[in-house]
Amino acid sequence: MTTINRQLVLASRPVGAPTSGNFRLNTADLPIIKEGEVLLRSVYLSLDPYMRGRMSDAKSYADPVAIGEVMVGGTVCQVTESKNSDFAVGEWVLAYTGWQDYGVSNGEGLIKLGMNPEHPSYALGVMGMPGFTAYMGLLDIGQPKAGETVVVAAATGAVGSMVGQIAKIKGCRVVGIAGGEEKCRFAVDTLGFDACIDHKADDLAEQLANACNDGIDVYFENVGGKVFDAVMPLLNTSARIPLCGLISQYNATSLPEGPDRMSMLMGQLLVKRIKMQGFIIFDDYGHRYPEFAQQMMTWLSEGKITYKEHLVEGLENAPESFIGLLEGKNFGKLVVQTNQPV
């Protein structure tokens, strides 16, 4: 057994887009656990857009990662040593040990996945935070009704792909927005969307209008920027906008150029009585996770949900993969396999 714990720490705060220089790979001694604790060995690490916010020291809903600290992140781990009677060696758990090989926990907040889960990494995607975000945001805030038009950006990403499929289950017409022909084709042919528009197209607004002849009733917002500009004129009276992210703005160092459109947005919200609500999934809906997990497991077993994972090998490749995530280079839920299971 190794005595070394590899750790990717925040070396400096990015200005604009992160670079590999903002991260540093350290090695530390393997943690020694105390009574009541378990030693966790990471096997899968989730990479998610929210991590860009944690690299900044701007005020937010969660504390930033301090310089020199391990980058935060959800992980699927195996228990390699236990001094806690609730956890056995070899057991799989969903944890939050971050960008490192090993972490220590007293058991609080760990979610048991069993001794031999069929797809352990699914706990970071379809059965985890992204799937939960899609489920609660769409159904609780979006409240889609059969026959309505639902539009979702980042349509083949971890959240967007789930939003669209759940909306189809609920009988909606679904239009996705994604980056590139391959992703758009996947959204329609594999995920079952009714249409998907390439956000790189010069005539994005025109194509979206043609695909949404009856306007937009629910827009699941996770991108912002030019995508929202194309969506805004098409919103129907009483439209709902669940807001879980603004990935197009995460690397911005200033406000966008051009006219101030805030008054236009406020006018639309007022005149059309539009509901726009931001949410932080575990802060706002953590108590409803069992409801989501039961329903999503049922849909998966019935073949109603298709899930695509973008798997990267090696903890050392996490920084470049994360940088690519913010540029839209991933195709599906981005997961790093940090170690081989035992």
Side-chain angles (χ1 to χ4, degrees):
M1 182 177 175
T2 182
T3 59
I4 298 298
N5 182 25
R6 295 178 303 162
Q7 301 175 318
L8 274 162
V9 303
L10 182 64
S12 60
R13 301 203 185 280
V15 178
T19 69
S20 57
N22 296 131
F23 304 91
R24 183 174 67 249
L25 183 63
N26 286 350
T27 56
D29 292 336
L30 204 65
I32 298 174
I33 63 172
K34 298 178 290 190
E35 200 61 40
E37 294 181 335
V38 291
L39 181 64
L40 302 175
R41 180 174 181 266
S42 170
V43 180
Y44 298 103
L45 165 68
S46 178
L47 295 183
D48 301 284
Y50 77 84
M51 295 170 176
R52 174 61 183 84
R54 302 293 177 85
M55 298 176 74
S56 168
D57 58 2
K59 186 175 178 59
S60 185
Y61 64 88
D63 292 335
V65 176
I67 300 299
E69 278 192 354
V70 176
M71 277 293 295
V72 296
T75 51
V76 168
C77 304
Q78 284 184 288
V79 178
T80 60
E81 185 181 352
S82 178
K83 293 185 179 180
N84 185 319
S85 58
D86 290 336
F87 297 90
V89 171
E91 189 171 7
W92 291 79
V93 296
L94 176 62
Y96 199 71
T97 54
W99 298 26
Q100 58 181 342
D101 286 326
Y102 290 88
V104 175
S105 172
N106 63 3
E108 185 176 343
L110 298 183
I111 297 176
K112 289 171 170 279
L113 302 177
M115 292 299 293
N116 190 29
E118 185 176 1
H119 299 290
S121 62
Y122 279 22
L124 298 173
V126 62
M127 293 300 300
M129 183 268 289
F132 192 23
T133 298
Y135 180 90
M136 295 309 315
L138 178 65
L139 299 185
D140 192 68
I141 299 173
Q143 298 185 3
K145 303 173 184 65
E148 290 189 324
T149 297
V150 174
V151 172
V152 58
T156 60
V159 175
S161 62
M162 296 297 113
V163 169
Q165 291 181 87
I166 296 169
K168 288 301 296 182
I169 290 172
K170 297 300 180 180
C172 298
R173 171 176 169 77
V174 176
V175 178
I177 302 172
E181 180 183 344
E182 182 185 7
K183 290 181 178 180
C184 286
R185 189 166 56 248
F186 177 82
V188 174
D189 295 346
T190 303
L191 301 180
F193 288 31
D194 295 283
C196 190
I197 314 300
D198 185 354
H199 70 69
K200 299 176 183 178
D202 293 335
D203 59 345
L204 166 63
E206 181 181 346
Q207 287 194 45
L208 185 62
N210 290 336
C212 302
N213 290 325
D214 295 325
I216 298 172
D217 300 296
V218 181
Y219 173 55
F220 197 104
E221 176 64 292
N222 52 12
V223 171
K226 67 178 183 180
V227 172
F228 187 71
D229 289 345
V231 166
M232 187 164 57
L234 306 176
L235 292 167
N236 288 332
T237 297
S238 300
R240 289 82 68 197
I241 307 175
L243 168 60
C244 77
L246 293 167
I247 193 170
S248 70
Q249 301 178 25
Y250 289 167
N251 291 329
T253 56
S254 62
L255 292 174
E257 295 181 2
D260 182 357
R261 288 160 292 182
M262 180 60 72
S263 295
M264 184 190 304
L265 171 60
M266 297 297 284
Q268 290 271 26
L269 296 179
L270 172 61
V271 173
K272 293 183 177 179
R273 286 89 77 196
I274 294 168
K275 174 185 178 182
M276 187 174 192
Q277 181 178 332
F279 67 104
I280 307 299
I281 186 61
F282 281 103
D283 288 3
D284 296 328
Y285 292 105
H287 61 290
R288 295 182 64 178
Y289 178 82
E291 167 197 335
F292 151 74
Q294 182 178 19
Q295 181 62 82
M296 185 58 75
M297 189 69 75
T298 299
W299 284 336
L300 281 170
S301 65
E302 294 172 348
K304 293 181 177 179
I305 293 288
T306 296
Y307 178 57
K308 183 176 179 63
E309 198 171 60
H310 184 141
L311 193 66
V312 174
E313 297 281 348
L315 177 65
E316 67 279 4
N317 293 317
E320 289 301 325
S321 299
F322 176 68
I323 292 167
L325 170 70
L326 296 177
E327 297 171 351
K329 292 182 178 179
N330 61 300
F331 194 167
K333 173 68 188 93
L334 184 56
V335 176
V336 177
Q337 182 161 2
T338 52
N339 291 286
Q340 292 296 319
V342 294

